[in-house]
């Protein structure tokens, strides 16, 4: 193979041609002339390659004819026709042998087309390595190869592939097909129909992905969009990160639409609150600032700092509310918590339902430990430990430990357990058993069956009944008062004004022990009486008042008198001290209560 050197400078050999052999500086002439020595002295093979000494073109004897111009280096195609192409730029290199248009040449200053067909390098230092119908149209733009690619801004780069576009400064498309890097310093590594339109945006690959804001990133997958500043979609299908710094790690049809929002993966999840998070799952929604759903299905965290751990159809809508898991649970007030279970509701502030089924904690600081159909509904601090169909509805601090169908409806009332028990007055208690009622303030039923403690501080125990609750029971009462000097005082159940009443159509019989003790500790007395008192139709009669044993008194002027108060239907215990003494008196009555229905 040999090369033909054609030079058109002025001189004695202006029209001479020298054919250089490939093995060195040997030559011969295409036409006669007398300047062989001058040619061989001035021109070398290196001159031919570099263009020194004149406007030079190089072609092999296997290529079409060549033609020179402006210190460039190019291979001519069909000399004298349009397909030979327009003039090349100063210092340009164009080894392309074919084109469809005359403009498809290295027309930029020092531009380069390495080869291929129909390629254009139309601005300074633009480069097309090869391929077909590629265009590098701005300074320092580069296309490595492929077909139909465009690098149309300064320093833009397309590595290869098909129909890719890098249209902004320093934008890059590595390869693939129909990809577009239109943001400043944006990048599409490859894939199909991807777009990086934000400044510094990046699409790693995949198909139909878009990074449309500053520093936005889509790693791959299909149909994903990172449209917020610094937003990221790592992969998956049709995911969207539209908030500032929003992130979707992957999955299907997930949305992180607020600033700093995150969706880890899964399907159809939405993190729409600022700094909200959905870890994964399907159909979950974290819609308020710092709200989180870890996973599961169709869960919603819609209050500030709310959290749903998982499960299905759970809602944490109060600020700082939490649902750990389970199904169809709701924590709808501030700091409310449902641990799990199904159909549970924590609707009061700082309420808790640990689990179970269809439980409700609706008062402030109310708690249901578990079970089913339980309700802690008092104004505050109500508690149901578990069991079924229990209710703690007292205004403050009502408690049901467990069991079934128990009710604590008084403030600070307590039912420990059992079945169908009721503590309905202030600080009343039913420890357990069945069908027991403590309806007096501070009244207590220890257990058993069908007991009724309906007066202040009363204790009752029964193991059954004749016809109505409390008609066959053991009872206990405590009464107290303080005497000063010789003034007589009635002992009352609360120490001030609550009388020791007798139920209508009932008899109260038993042993009453009364003791007095002076506050200076110098005097003491004790009395025991066997008492039987009845109330029939509103008429109260003391049937028996017998001394039991021997009374003891350190001061003989002290005394106790027991009577029936028919006006108030009560047992009346009157205590008398002595001059100069302040005496504390306490009476305990233990006995039986038998009741009957009105005739």
């Amino acid at each position: 193979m040999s090369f033909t050197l054609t030079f058109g400078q002025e001189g004695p050999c202006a029209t001479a041609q020298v054919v250089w052999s490939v093995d060195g500086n040997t030559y011969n002439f295409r036409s006669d002339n007398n300047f062989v020595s001058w040619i061989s002295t001035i021109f070398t093979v290196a001159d031919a390659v570099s263009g020194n000494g004149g406007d030079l073109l190089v072609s092999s004897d296997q290529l079409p004819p060549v033609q020179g111009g402006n210190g460039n280096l190019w291979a001519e195609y069909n000399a004298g026709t349009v397909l030979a192409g327009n003039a090349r730029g100063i210092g340009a290199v164009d080894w392309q042998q074919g084109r469809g248009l005359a403009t498809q040449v290295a027309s930029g200053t020092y531009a380069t087309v390495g080869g291929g067909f129909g390629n254009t390098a139309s601005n300074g230092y633009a480069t097309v390595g090869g391929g077909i119908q590629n265009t590098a149209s701005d300074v320092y733009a580069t296309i490595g190869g492929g077909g139909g690619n465009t690098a149309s801004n300064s320093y833009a780069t397309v590595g290869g592939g098909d129909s890719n576009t890098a249209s902004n400064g320093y934008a890059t498309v590595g390869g693939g097909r129909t990809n577009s890097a239109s943001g400043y310093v944006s990048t599409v590594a490859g894939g199909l129909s991807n777009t990086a339109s934000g400044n510094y945006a990046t699409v790693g690959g995949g198909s139909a992905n878009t990074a449309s804001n500053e520093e936005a990133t889509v790693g791959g997958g299909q149909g994903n969009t990172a449209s917020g500043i610094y937003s990221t979609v790592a992969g998956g299908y049709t995911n969207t990160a539209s908030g500032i710094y929003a992130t979707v790690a992957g999955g299907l049809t997930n949305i992180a639409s607020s600033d700093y929002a995150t969706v880890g993966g899964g399907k159809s999840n939405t993190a729409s609150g600022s700094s909200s998070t959905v870890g994964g799952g399907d159909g979950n929604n974290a819609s308020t600032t710092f709200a989180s759903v870890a996973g599961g299905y169709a869960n919603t965290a819609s209050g500030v700092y709310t959290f749903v751990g998982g499960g299905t159809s759970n809602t944490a809508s109060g600020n700082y509310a939490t649902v750990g898991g389970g199904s169809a649970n709701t924590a709808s007030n501030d700091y409310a918590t449902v641990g799990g279970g199904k159909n549970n509701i924590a609707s009061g502030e700082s309420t808790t339902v640990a689990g179970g089924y269809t439980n409700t904690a609706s008062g402030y600081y109310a708690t249901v430990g578990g079970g089913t159909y339980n309700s802690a509904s008092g104004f505050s601090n109500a508690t149901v430990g578990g069991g079924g169909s229990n209710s703690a509805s007292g205004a403050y601090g009502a408690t049901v430990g467990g069991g079934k169908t128990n009710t604590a409806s008084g403030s600070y009332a307590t039912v420990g357990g059992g079945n169908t028990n009721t503590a309905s007055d202030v600080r009343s208690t039913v420890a357990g058993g069945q069908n027991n009622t403590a309806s007096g303030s501070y009244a207590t039923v220890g257990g058993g069956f069908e007991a009724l403690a309906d007066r202040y501080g009363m204790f009752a125990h029964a193991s059954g009944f004749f016809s109505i609750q409390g008609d066959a029971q053991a009872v206990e009462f405590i009464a107290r008062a303080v005497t000063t000097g010789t003034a007589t005082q009635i002992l009352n159940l609360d120490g001030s004004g609550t009388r020791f009443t007798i139920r209508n159509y009932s008899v109260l019989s038993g042993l009453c022990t009364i003791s007095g003790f002076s506050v200076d500790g110098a005097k003491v007395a004790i009395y025991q009486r066997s008492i039987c008192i009845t109330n029939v139709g509103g008429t109260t009669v003391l049937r028996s008042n017998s001394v039991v044993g021997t009374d003891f008194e350190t001061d003989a002027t002290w005394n106790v008198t027991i009577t029936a108060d028919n006006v108030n239907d009560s047992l009346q215990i009157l205590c008398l001290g002595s001059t100069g003494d302040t005496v504390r008196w306490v009476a305990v009555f233990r006995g039986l209560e038998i009741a009957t229905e009105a005739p």
Side-chain angles (χ1 to χ4, degrees):
M1 184 173 66
S2 60
F3 291 88
T4 300
L5 234 62
T6 303
F7 40 95
Q9 66 183 26
E10 296 180 358
C13 55
T15 60
Q17 290 186 331
V18 179
V19 178
W20 297 83
S21 67
V22 73
D23 60 352
N25 291 338
T26 61
Y27 53 86
N28 57 48
F29 293 98
R30 292 289 182 90
S31 61
D32 294 333
N33 68 70
N34 296 318
F35 301 100
V36 174
S37 297
W38 183 84
I39 295 171
S40 62
T41 301
I42 300 301
F43 296 101
T44 66
V45 170
D47 293 326
V49 173
S50 66
N52 291 333
D55 300 327
L56 303 179
L57 291 164
V58 179
S59 66
S60 77
D61 55 9
Q62 298 174 0
L63 296 177
V66 296
Q67 202 164 26
N70 292 334
N72 46 40
L73 190 63
W74 53 279
E76 186 181 78
Y77 178 73
N78 287 353
T81 71
V82 170
L83 295 182
N86 292 344
R88 277 60 167 182
I90 296 173
V93 175
D94 189 346
W95 291 116
Q96 185 172 227
Q97 299 179 53
R99 59 190 53 81
L101 299 172
T103 57
Q104 293 170 342
V105 297
S107 59
T109 302
Y110 300 103
T112 300
V113 176
F117 179 86
N119 298 305
T120 302
S122 59
N123 215 319
Y125 306 97
T127 301
V128 177
I132 181 170
Q133 294 183 337
N134 298 303
T135 300
S137 60
D138 209 338
V139 293
Y140 302 102
T142 301
I143 297 176
N149 298 306
T150 301
S152 59
N153 212 313
S154 57
Y155 301 94
T157 302
V158 177
D162 179 18
S163 303
N164 299 304
T165 301
S167 59
N168 209 327
Y170 303 94
T172 301
V173 177
R177 184 180 181 190
T178 60
N179 297 305
S180 173
S182 58
Y184 182 72
V185 200
S186 60
T187 302
V188 177
L192 173 65
S193 301
N194 297 306
T195 300
S197 57
N199 295 338
Y200 310 98
T202 302
V203 177
S207 172
N209 298 307
T210 301
S212 60
N213 213 323
E214 185 173 345
E215 301 280 3
T217 302
V218 177
Q222 182 176 357
N224 298 305
T225 300
S227 58
I229 299 174
Y230 307 104
S231 61
T232 302
V233 177
Y237 181 75
T238 60
N239 298 303
T240 300
S242 57
I244 299 173
Y245 299 99
T247 302
V248 177
L252 170 65
T253 323
N254 297 306
I255 298 173
S257 60
S258 193
D259 298 348
Y260 311 98
T262 302
V263 177
K267 176 185 176 185
S268 301
N269 298 305
T270 300
S272 57
S274 177
S275 301
S276 61
T277 302
V278 177
D282 183 2
N284 298 306
N285 189 352
S287 60
T288 312
T289 303
F290 302 107
S292 298
V293 178
Y297 176 72
N299 297 305
T300 299
S302 58
V304 177
Y305 296 99
T306 54
F307 175 77
V308 177
T312 177
S313 303
N314 298 306
T315 300
S317 57
N319 296 332
Y320 307 93
T322 301
V323 177
S327 173
N329 298 307
T330 301
S332 59
N333 211 323
D334 294 350
Y335 306 98
T337 301
V338 177
K342 184 177 181 180
N343 291 338
N344 297 305
I345 298 174
S347 59
E349 184 175 334
S350 301
T351 55
T352 301
V353 177
Y357 178 72
T358 319
N359 297 304
T360 301
S362 57
Y364 286 98
Y365 316 107
T367 302
V368 177
T372 177
Y373 294 105
N374 296 307
S375 173
S377 59
F379 181 77
S380 70
N381 299 104
T383 302
V384 176
S389 302
N390 297 307
S391 174
S393 57
Y396 299 95
T399 302
V400 176
K404 183 178 180 182
T405 325
N406 297 306
T407 301
S409 57
S411 291
Y412 307 104
T414 301
V415 177
N419 180 26
T420 322
N421 298 306
T422 300
S424 59
D425 209 338
V426 176
R427 295 178 173 84
S428 57
T429 301
V430 177
Q434 181 177 355
N435 292 346
N436 298 303
T437 299
S439 57
S441 299
Y442 303 94
T444 301
V445 175
F449 178 49
E450 293 288 357
L452 173 63
D454 59 352
R455 279 144 286 180
Y456 184 99
M458 176 182 178
F459 178 86
H461 179 266
S463 57
F465 65 107
F466 293 110
S467 58
I468 59 174
Q469 186 182 61
D471 63 4
Q473 63 184 8
V475 297
E476 179 178 288
F477 295 90
I478 300 174
R480 69 187 189 276
V482 176
T483 61
T484 302
T486 57
T488 301
Q489 290 291 337
I490 300 172
L491 274 61
N492 296 295
L493 298 179
D494 64 353
S496 58
T498 302
R499 296 179 181 274
F500 191 164
T501 56
I502 311 301
R503 291 169 64 188
N504 198 12
Y505 292 100
S506 70
V507 57
L508 191 67
S509 57
L511 181 65
C512 184
T513 300
I514 307 103
S515 182
F517 187 51
S518 63
V519 296
D520 60 6
K523 298 178 181 179
V524 66
I526 184 170
Y527 312 87
Q528 287 191 316
R529 301 289 184 265
S530 177
I531 295 171
C532 179
I533 187 170
T534 62
N535 178 1
V536 179
T539 300
T540 299
V541 178
L542 183 63
R543 303 298 181 101
S544 173
N545 179 21
S546 302
V547 175
V548 177
T550 302
D551 294 342
F552 173 78
E553 300 166 328
T554 55
D555 187 333
T557 61
W558 290 16
N559 194 23
V560 170
T561 302
I562 298 175
T563 64
D565 179 1
N566 188 50
V567 174
N568 297 295
D569 293 322
S570 63
L571 177 66
Q572 187 165 270
I573 303 171
L574 295 97
C575 295
L576 174 66
S578 59
T579 302
D581 292 329
T582 298
V583 183
R584 293 180 174 178
W585 296 91
V586 178
V588 177
F589 177 91
R590 295 183 178 92
L592 303 174
E593 186 170 53
I594 305 171
T596 183
E597 296 178 279

